[in-house]
Amino acid sequence: MKKIILLSLFMTLLFFNLNAQTNVGSLLDLYNVRDNLSGTYNQTIDIDLIPTYPDSVESWTSGTYDEGAIVKNGSPAYTYICTATTTTQEPPGSDWKQLWETSKGWNPIGDGPNGFTGLYNGKGYKISNVYINRPDEDFVGIFGCMTGTSSQTARIDSVIIEKVDIKGRSGVGSLLGKINDNRYVIIDR
C-alpha cells in the first residue's frame, strides 16, 4: 500500500512539475523566457520594451541603482538591468544582467537551431515599443524562431503587439521571425 501511495504522490508531483507555469510580468521576465525555451508562460501585465530603443537608456554613472534600473555601459555599449536590491557596482558585474547590445535592441527569443518550443499565453496583454535593429541577422522578432515537435506543439496565444521598429535580413516579423515545421506550431489571436 505504501508503494502505491508513494508512486501516486510521485506521479502527481511529476505532472505538476511538467505543467509548471511561469508568470511574465516585466521586461526581465520576458527576456528570461530564452532560459527555458520549452516552458509554459502566462503574461500578467502589459510589457513596455521602450528600453530596447538605444536613446531611451541612460549611460551608467557612479551612484546607487535600485532593482530594475536599466542602463547602458561599455564599448560597444550593452544594456543591463539591475538584479540586486540596490547596488553601486558598475556593469557588467554580479548585480547586473546583460540584456542586449544597445545599438541592436531586443535580442529575439530562440534562433534557428534552438527555437521556442513552449507555450506562451499573452492573456490579451500588450508588448509594445519594440526596437530591433539586426539587418545582418535572420529570424528577427520578439520570438526569433518557433519549433514544434510531434511530442510538443509550440504555441503563442493572445498577444497584442504595438509600436514596432524592426529590421532584419530574412525571417522578420513583429511577434515571430520564423516557424520550423508548422505542423506542430500554433499562433492564435
Side-chain angles (χ1 to χ4, degrees):
M1 182 68 171
K2 283 184 180 180
K3 288 182 183 180
I4 293 173
I5 292 172
L6 287 175
L7 181 59
S8 177
L9 179 60
F10 173 76
M11 295 303 287
T12 301
L13 290 174
L14 180 63
F15 174 78
F16 282 112
N17 190 37
L18 290 175
N19 293 306
Q21 298 181 3
T22 302
N23 288 333
V24 176
S26 68
L27 177 151
L28 183 57
D29 291 342
L30 181 61
Y31 184 85
N32 286 337
V33 167
R34 71 193 68 245
D35 295 338
N36 180 7
L37 294 172
S38 62
T40 299
Y41 301 93
N42 289 309
Q43 189 169 329
T44 60
I45 193 169
D46 291 337
I47 298 174
D48 189 350
L49 295 182
I50 197 74
T52 60
Y53 284 85
D55 293 339
S56 72
V57 179
E58 298 292 323
S59 294
W60 180 86
T61 58
S62 181
T64 301
Y65 291 88
D66 294 325
E67 185 174 14
I70 297 176
V71 299
K72 59 186 171 187
N73 195 33
S75 181
Y78 280 84
T79 300
Y80 298 86
I81 188 166
C82 179
T83 57
T85 305
T86 60
T87 189
T88 57
Q89 182 185 64
E90 180 178 0
S94 60
D95 291 345
W96 297 91
K97 180 166 186 161
Q98 180 179 302
L99 299 175
W100 49 76
E101 189 173 339
T102 303
S103 65
K104 292 183 176 184
W106 179 259
N107 189 16
I109 298 167
D111 57 28
N114 300 303
F116 179 73
T117 60
L119 307 172
Y120 188 94
N121 190 337
K123 303 272 187 179
Y125 289 107
K126 297 175 190 173
I127 299 174
S128 60
N129 297 307
V130 183
Y131 176 79
I132 305 173
N133 182 28
R134 298 172 181 272
D136 299 326
E137 296 179 29
D138 298 329
F139 318 138
V140 175
I142 295 169
F143 290 84
C145 184
M146 284 180 70
T147 305
T149 65
S150 60
S151 62
Q152 180 167 345
T153 299
R155 184 177 184 122
I156 298 177
D157 286 323
S158 306
V159 180
I160 299 168
I161 308 297
E162 289 186 344
K163 300 176 186 169
V164 298
D165 182 356
I166 298 177
K167 294 174 188 74
R169 182 175 50 206
S170 175
V172 179
S174 56
L175 176 63
L176 175 63
K178 181 183 182 196
I179 295 174
N180 285 333
D181 198 347
N182 65 2
R183 293 176 298 165
Y184 305 111
V185 173
I186 298 171
I187 299 177
D188 196 5
R189 295 181 67 191

